[in-house]
Amino acid sequence: QVQLVESGGGSVQAGGSLRLSCAASGYMYSTYCMGWFRQSPGKEREGVAAIDSDGTTTYADSVKGRFTATQDNAKNTRYLQMNSLKPEDTAMYYCVVHTEMSLDAGLGIAVCRLNPVAVDAWGQGTLVTVSS
């Protein structure tokens, strides 16, 4: 029942920045994860970031220190700020909603899985191209 509309992709040079947006509408469970996937030809789908309903974030090692997931609950919109972009970041990016959590022993809390088995909703995708 949740619908997602994402935007913000584009073409940038290496070292540049982009901010992706994902607006949600319709019913959403009180406990949820908003994830960001990326897919490029010849590569497996990769979960790069996720944020839960309390604002706790998790990131793939490939983007740690460069990508930041945030949310604006008043606007029911989530964002993925991407800094220091590299050519290998080139991909179609998708926002998703899911409910799969796992225990982070270091943090001592449950965090969103980056690569859930089941996804409740998908955005349409937005293309990010990073040139050398």
Side-chain angles (χ1 to χ4, degrees):
Q1 191 172 356
V2 177
Q3 291 84 46
L4 303 175
V5 179
E6 59 189 295
S7 61
S11 297
V12 298
Q13 293 183 316
S17 298
L18 288 171
R19 188 178 73 162
L20 307 184
S21 299
C22 181
S25 62
Y27 179 79
M28 187 179 297
Y29 293 108
S30 58
T31 301
Y32 66 89
C33 298
M34 177 72 75
W36 296 90
F37 292 171
R38 65 185 181 188
Q39 178 76 64
S40 59
K43 295 186 65 177
E44 295 182 356
R45 186 181 68 194
E46 178 187 20
V48 297
I51 184 167
D52 71 14
S53 51
D54 294 323
T56 301
T57 55
T58 186
Y59 303 95
D61 288 341
S62 58
V63 306
K64 283 182 178 178
R66 300 188 297 117
F67 290 12
T68 304
T70 58
Q71 62 187 7
D72 185 338
N73 289 327
K75 297 180 178 179
N76 205 18
T77 300
R78 280 74 185 174
Y79 305 95
L80 184 66
Q81 179 68 45
M82 304 185 294
N83 297 328
S84 301
L85 284 163
K86 304 175 181 179
E88 51 263 45
D89 295 319
T90 296
M92 186 73 74
Y93 284 73
Y94 301 89
C95 61
V96 301
V97 170
H98 69 87
T99 57
E100 295 183 16
M101 311 284 287
S102 63
L103 178 64
D104 187 308
L107 296 176
I109 60 173
V111 299
C112 296
R113 290 185 179 273
L114 290 174
N115 295 284
V117 175
V119 173
D120 295 311
W122 292 78
Q124 81 281 6
T126 186
L127 181 63
V128 172
T129 302
V130 184
S131 60
S132 300

